Amino acid sequence: MIHKVNLVYYKNTVDREDNFQEIIYQLWKSYPSLKKRDSIGSWIYAVSINTSIARLKKVSRIEYRTTIPEMPDKDHFIDEISTNESLKLLLEAIYNLDALDRSIMLLYLEEKQYDEIAEIIGISKSNVGVRINRAKQSLKQHFKKNSYGRL
């Protein structure tokens, strides 16, 4: 689960490793406050996503950028992930979504139910549905714009 979250949020190996360690630390630190021991998978996703987003926000506040950078090692990274062309194209499209929509789409692709996604992310079930539909439309537009065709 943690590796999947890292894959969606961080493009290079070093950042993924750093974030992995931070997630493990946050899981360890917050375990005593876990109330529903039967939903540990949802809790791991929630902590992983929240830690990743918080880390991204922290890094973006520290770095001053005059322009939004492209992924410098995008081609290398995408080639490194998998030889499956469909997965490469989907990941490239998901990188264009905002952080919250990336999280929602990750959980949706993991076949989580809307109510479970809502609990993990901290938004309403209906908002999950709206965001999934908008993200799907955004992904479709990305594929049309880049002439990828269908996955």
Side-chain angles (χ1 to χ4, degrees):
M1 287 183 223
I2 298 169
H3 290 295
K4 288 177 187 176
V5 171
N6 273 338
L7 188 64
V8 169
Y9 284 101
Y10 293 96
K11 297 164 186 80
N12 68 54
T13 306
V14 173
D15 289 340
R16 287 193 307 265
E17 290 171 357
D18 289 347
N19 195 57
F20 181 86
Q21 290 178 359
E22 182 63 24
I23 290 170
I24 296 299
Y25 170 70
Q26 293 300 329
L27 288 169
W28 180 263
K29 191 169 90 173
S30 63
Y31 183 75
S33 66
L34 177 62
K35 291 180 180 34
K36 292 190 223 173
R37 305 261 184 213
D38 58 332
S39 62
I40 197 155
S42 296
W43 173 72
I44 291 171
Y45 266 122
V47 171
S48 299
I49 288 168
N50 290 334
T51 301
S52 299
I53 291 172
R55 191 164 184 269
L56 282 173
K57 286 179 182 178
K58 181 180 176 183
V59 169
S60 69
R61 281 192 308 251
I62 294 171
E63 296 177 12
Y64 174 76
R65 300 176 186 162
T66 56
T67 60
I68 298 173
E70 287 294 318
M71 294 179 356
D73 59 348
K74 177 173 80 173
D75 295 330
H76 172 69
F77 171 68
I78 291 175
D79 289 338
E80 179 183 295
I81 297 171
S82 169
T83 57
N84 184 329
E85 188 65 25
S86 295
L87 178 60
K88 289 183 211 178
L89 297 175
L90 181 60
L91 281 173
E92 187 174 280
I94 288 174
Y95 286 144
N96 292 319
L97 299 174
D98 67 32
L100 184 59
D101 289 341
R102 277 189 237 163
S103 303
I104 291 170
M105 289 309 291
L106 169 67
L107 296 168
Y108 177 75
L109 292 171
E110 285 286 314
E111 300 179 357
K112 301 290 184 189
Q113 299 296 319
Y114 283 24
D115 51 347
E116 187 175 0
I117 295 172
E119 180 184 335
I120 291 169
I121 301 296
I123 60 177
S124 70
K125 182 179 173 181
S126 61
N127 196 359
V128 168
V130 169
R131 285 186 155 299
I132 287 173
N133 286 328
R134 288 182 185 163
K136 284 180 181 179
Q137 290 302 316
S138 178
L139 293 173
K140 284 179 188 176
Q141 288 175 355
H142 176 82
F143 289 124
K144 284 180 185 177
K145 183 176 89 175
N146 293 301
S147 302
Y148 291 138
R150 302 185 93 186
L151 288 178

